[in-house]
Amino acid sequence: MALQRLRTRLLLVSTVAYCCLATVSNSTPDLVHSAAAIENWIINIRRELHMYPELMFHEEKTSAKIRSILDSLKISYQYPVAKTGIVATIGSGAPVVALRSDIDALPILEETGFEFSSKSTGVMHACGHDAHMSMLLGAARMLKERESSLQGTVKLLFQPAEEGGAGGDVMVKEGALEGVDAAFGLHVWPTLPTGVVGTRPGTIMAGSLVFKATFAGAGGHAAMPHLTRDPVVAASSTVVSLQSLVGRNVSPFSSAVVSVTRVWTEEEGSIGAWNVIPHVAHIGGTVRATTDEDMTYLKARIEEIVDSQAKAMGCEGSVDWMLDHHPYYPPVVNDKDAASFVSSVASKVFGADMVDPNVEATMAGEDFAFIARKVQSAFTFLGIRNETAGSVHGLHTAKFTMDESALKKGAALHAILATEFLRNKGLGLSTGGRRDEL
């Protein structure tokens, strides 16, 4: 296994070195031109997918649409993977590279006003997954047209349930990465100018958890609080205590976030009488950290704080990490050679001024982390910010939109990363690089 891992790393290192020392292949400009030629096709797919968003693990229509396009392109695929996911294959032999797109949407009521706005009330592609799918399908079309010249295999991962369901983990466990040497993923990014490609070695996105803390007391008339054990006070005290948790428990050289985003009493959404102290109060929120160690420590400290603040008010406190519905997402850690490969290729194709090789990391979470823990990988941001096009709103907002002129660039980048990686097959190194055994 040690020799196998070494061979896989040498394959990627050699690919990086090759790209740094030589020009990219002659087919690269052709792929850029081809992506521009099918731009309208890509945009139309994105808009159709945008109109019919579906929530995690319920992406049946979305998956069917993807499969119909793959069928029309005569691309073979495995389905189902992770319930609604798809693993398509182009080419054959070693090495093997994977390109990934997520496919699920968010429970958000869209407010963009576009003609192609969501037709599913309360569900919206507010994180750009419609763009991710259309870009990968664009790459699939171009790669299929060049299948006879591919020097290896490209796997296309259409992954469900990124928005909380850890679909990436499920796909890995079901063998989607079997035999894969390296993987690449793109995410549209509204803080980068349109067309800018941003990645970085090491941690690019944080690990994430969600929590719900419950405080059980003894309610009663608000005019006689001395006869109650007030869970609202216990919850409020906990919220205040959590504000200093990161600053006094995590090294200043590390990054972490604890945000309380919900406070409610009794059943969520209910409104009791104004003059009644409730029996139960809840708070909820999210925890972010850039290492597993910090996340483990913060979890323990949150449980301690909830328990102690509850006891101080005569209440009982407990924390539900809701792992059944919102599994832990580890940090997304880019392999340094894979990240260098992306930056090098993108610089030669699009120009160094359009590439940020050390883009600012974010405390947002992503289940591409599970892929990155399995094989050498790089996750990359593709800028979509364009004030003229109205592409200024943040991810996960009701007015999120994107500059669609970035789609052709994303499709080209997917295809170029795959072909440039594969054309080093002549090195004669084995496949199947694994990260979980390092």
Side-chain angles (χ1 to χ4, degrees):
M1 284 297 180
L3 179 59
Q4 185 178 9
R5 295 196 303 271
L6 177 59
R7 284 179 170 179
T8 302
R9 178 164 292 280
L10 285 174
L11 173 61
L12 192 49
V13 171
S14 299
T15 305
V16 172
Y18 183 88
C19 290
C20 291
L21 294 174
T23 59
V24 293
S25 66
N26 293 332
S27 64
T28 297
D30 177 53
L31 285 167
V32 174
H33 295 319
S34 293
I38 62 171
E39 179 179 18
N40 289 336
W41 185 81
I42 297 171
I43 289 173
N44 288 337
I45 290 174
R46 181 253 165 174
R47 292 184 177 186
E48 183 171 353
L49 290 167
H50 187 88
M51 287 191 290
Y52 301 100
E54 295 171 296
L55 299 178
M56 60 181 182
F57 289 129
H58 293 282
E59 309 94 335
E60 288 86 4
K61 293 180 180 178
T62 301
S63 182
K65 176 63 177 178
I66 294 169
R67 298 196 309 275
S68 71
I69 295 172
L70 293 174
D71 287 336
S72 71
L73 297 173
K74 295 181 171 54
I75 295 174
S76 62
Y77 55 83
Q78 179 185 356
Y79 170 85
V81 182
K83 296 184 179 180
T84 52
I86 303 162
V87 178
T89 303
I90 304 173
S92 61
V96 182
V97 63
L99 305 174
R100 174 266 199 176
S101 167
D102 35 21
I103 69 174
D104 58 325
L106 287 158
I108 293 176
L109 181 64
E110 183 166 354
E111 298 176 2
T112 62
F114 293 130
E115 291 182 359
F116 56 89
S117 292
S118 171
K119 296 185 180 299
S120 302
T121 304
V123 183
M124 176 188 176
H125 273 300
C127 197
H129 297 189
D130 51 343
H132 301 165
M133 289 182 278
S134 63
M135 291 188 296
L136 189 53
L137 287 166
R141 175 172 169 172
M142 292 185 289
L143 291 168
K144 182 64 178 179
E145 292 170 351
R146 295 158 177 80
E147 186 171 27
S148 62
S149 64
L150 290 179
Q151 300 178 50
T153 303
V154 182
K155 283 192 173 185
L156 310 174
L157 311 183
F158 294 93
Q159 178 221 299
E162 187 278 327
E163 299 291 356
D169 188 31
V170 180
M171 289 197 85
V172 169
K173 289 176 178 177
E174 293 189 9
L177 295 179
E178 185 176 350
V180 170
D181 293 291
F184 300 97
L186 288 180
H187 201 302
V188 292
W189 212 245
T191 60
L192 290 176
T194 292
V196 170
V197 176
T199 192
R200 63 182 291 123
T203 302
I204 188 169
M205 301 185 78
S208 64
L209 270 177
V210 296
F211 69 92
K212 180 177 78 171
T214 299
F215 302 85
H221 201 296
M224 294 171 276
H226 59 293
L227 301 179
T228 71
R229 298 191 303 277
D230 194 341
V232 175
V233 176
S236 301
S237 180
T238 300
V239 172
V240 174
S241 296
L242 291 177
Q243 302 312 302
S244 62
L245 180 59
V246 171
R248 291 299 177 267
N249 289 271
V250 177
S251 168
F253 293 100
S254 299
S255 297
V257 172
V258 177
S259 292
V260 177
T261 58
R262 295 184 181 186
V263 180
W264 71 100
T265 59
E266 304 296 351
E267 295 300 322
E268 187 172 9
S270 67
I271 299 176
W274 298 107
N275 61 348
V276 173
I277 293 173
H279 294 288
V280 179
H282 309 274
I283 64 173
T286 186
V287 186
R288 307 295 170 103
T290 54
T291 67
D292 291 336
E293 293 76 15
D294 281 342
M295 182 64 79
T296 298
Y297 184 68
L298 288 171
K299 279 184 62 180
R301 289 292 292 127
I302 289 171
E303 291 172 355
E304 291 172 358
I305 290 170
V306 168
D307 181 66
S308 62
Q309 293 297 329
K311 286 180 177 177
M313 302 300 168
C315 300
E316 295 182 357
S318 62
V319 180
D320 179 2
W321 294 102
M322 298 188 286
L323 295 177
D324 289 341
H325 302 289
H326 298 276
Y328 170 54
Y329 282 17
V332 179
V333 182
N334 280 346
D335 178 86
K336 65 178 182 179
D337 296 322
S340 295
F341 171 67
V342 172
S343 296
S344 177
V345 170
S347 293
K348 287 180 172 61
V349 175
F350 304 118
D353 60 329
M354 295 299 291
V355 177
D356 185 349
N358 195 33
V359 73
E360 183 179 13
T362 174
M363 298 306 288
E366 237 287 350
D367 71 350
F368 188 83
F370 296 104
I371 295 173
R373 288 194 165 191
K374 193 71 174 178
V375 300
Q376 291 173 297
S377 303
F379 199 63
T380 301
F381 301 148
L382 177 63
I384 58 168
R385 187 173 185 83
N386 183 338
E387 294 185 7
T388 302
S391 183
V392 296
H393 301 286
L395 301 170
H396 290 218
T397 65
K399 293 185 177 181
F400 170 77
T401 186
M402 64 165 293
D403 181 358
E404 292 178 319
S405 69
L407 293 174
K408 61 181 180 294
K409 189 167 188 175
L413 183 57
H414 267 312
I416 292 167
L417 289 174
T419 56
E420 289 301 301
F421 184 84
L422 294 183
R423 76 189 183 100
N424 290 273
K425 179 181 179 181
L427 296 172
L429 300 176
S430 67
T431 63
R434 295 168 59 89
R435 288 292 295 271
D436 57 333
E437 297 173 312
L438 292 175

